[in-house]
Amino acid sequence: MTPRDASEPNGSRWSDLDRPPLNVTALRRGLLRPEGLWSEVEVVQRTGSTNSDLVARAAKGEVTEGAVLIAEEQSAGRGRLDRQWTAPPRSGLFFSVLLTPGEVPVARWGWLPLLTGVAVATGLSRTAGVDTALKWPNDVLVTVGEEERKAGGILAEGAGDGGVVIGVGINVSLKDDELPVPTAGSLALAGAVSTDRDPLLRGVLRSLENWYGKWRAAEGDPGVCGLQEAYAAGCATLGRVVRAELPGNRSVVGEAVAVDGDGRLVLATEAGVQEPVGAGDIVHLRPA
């Protein structure tokens, strides 16, 4: 008989048979290669935030580039603007990775969340068989019925000396009555052909390794490595009229016409000017 684990709901790792735990041995076997990016893979049952944990470890010099920290459940997961991200245990993918792109000019590091978005969307489309789109700057969207809903988000934070921790949260098997807000979605609700988190996670991390390698080889130039074009092709924000809610309680309304070389969203306003937005909350006002 398998020993009971008090850290799990109801004292059992298999308390929800529809949501089995990740297989860390298989993940390591599939991801850790001598010449590959990923240096270690750790799965914890529960933590506050994988981003906070990995940032702290990086600051202490306890981890190297390519460290991957995954949680079966997060009690204090965060999105942009410190918004809370909550989900039932084992219902999604909640993980953070440490990257140290030392050869890339710091001015281009702002592309890392967008790069991760492209990698996540590509990996999920291949492994889950769902159409995904990106809402600038870092939301992953799926279609549930005829509605566009957020199924994932990305958060980047500085870590240690020359490091960046990228956190990813993806709703995989959430049902309607488990959604934190009505505008949220999940791969399952979008009709995914599989909600097996092991191949989904491997697919996303392999896609991230591929895009990160191309970006580094191009010294962070998003045009040379194809990242700028790929992001624009998958960005649901472009072509729409949007409202950008900016720092300082300022807002700008305009058509999103481009993502520029610095990763900023360019809005064509009614005043006839093009205004680049580097940080802010984007509200889609009208379909493309």
Side-chain angles (χ1 to χ4, degrees):
M1 185 174 177
T2 304
R4 295 171 71 84
D5 182 352
S7 69
E8 288 289 331
N10 302 324
S12 170
R13 330 179 44 228
W14 297 92
S15 56
D16 187 339
L17 294 179
D18 290 330
R19 292 171 174 162
L22 290 164
N23 185 334
V24 67
T25 302
L27 288 172
R28 287 170 178 159
R29 187 169 57 242
L31 293 168
L32 301 182
R33 297 176 290 109
E35 303 302 320
L37 170 62
W38 309 120
S39 55
E40 63 177 279
V41 174
E42 180 182 358
V43 177
V44 297
Q45 292 305 316
R46 191 172 191 267
T47 190
S49 160
T50 56
N51 253 40
S52 296
D53 292 350
L54 202 53
V55 166
R57 293 182 191 181
K60 296 176 184 175
E62 296 175 353
V63 287
T64 60
E65 181 173 51
V68 182
L69 178 62
I70 310 150
E72 295 284 28
E73 179 186 9
Q74 288 191 118
S75 60
R78 291 172 292 122
R80 289 181 63 251
L81 308 178
D82 279 334
R83 292 180 178 133
Q84 193 172 13
W85 179 286
T86 58
R90 302 191 299 275
S91 66
L93 295 174
F94 320 114
F95 66 94
S96 298
V97 303
L98 174 63
L99 304 175
T100 56
E103 68 278 24
V104 175
V106 174
R108 289 174 170 167
W109 289 17
W111 272 97
L112 280 170
L114 282 69
L115 181 156
T116 304
V118 170
V120 168
T122 303
L124 291 180
S125 294
R126 288 175 180 166
T127 53
V130 295
D131 290 331
T132 55
L134 299 169
K135 178 186 174 188
W136 189 92
N138 61 358
D139 288 347
V140 180
L141 307 178
V142 295
T143 302
V144 179
E146 296 184 357
E147 260 190 304
E148 210 171 51
R149 298 203 197 168
K150 177 179 175 178
I154 296 154
L155 178 68
E157 298 182 81
D161 185 15
V164 179
V165 166
I166 308 285
V168 177
I170 302 163
N171 293 334
V172 176
S173 62
L174 265 74
K175 308 174 184 73
D176 269 316
D177 60 357
E178 295 174 318
L179 297 174
V181 292
T183 54
S186 69
L187 301 184
L189 291 173
V193 296
S194 171
T195 56
D196 185 339
R197 294 179 304 144
D198 285 279
L200 292 176
L201 181 57
R202 287 196 300 270
V204 167
L205 287 173
R206 285 170 180 160
S207 179
L208 179 53
E209 179 177 15
N210 177 54
W211 273 109
Y212 181 62
K214 291 195 287 189
W215 179 75
R216 283 177 66 176
E219 297 182 346
D221 188 315
V224 170
C225 68
L227 176 58
Q228 188 173 1
E229 181 181 1
Y231 187 87
C235 182
T237 303
L238 292 179
R240 280 186 151 129
V241 174
V242 305
R243 182 176 67 250
E245 297 173 349
L246 308 175
N249 293 321
R250 190 170 76 91
S251 66
V252 176
V253 174
E255 182 183 355
V257 294
V259 175
D260 70 13
D262 294 321
R264 299 176 300 180
L265 185 68
V266 181
L267 301 185
T269 70
E270 289 185 351
V273 299
Q274 292 199 345
E275 181 163 345
V277 174
D281 232 12
I282 299 297
V283 180
H284 290 173
L285 299 180
R286 195 165 72 214

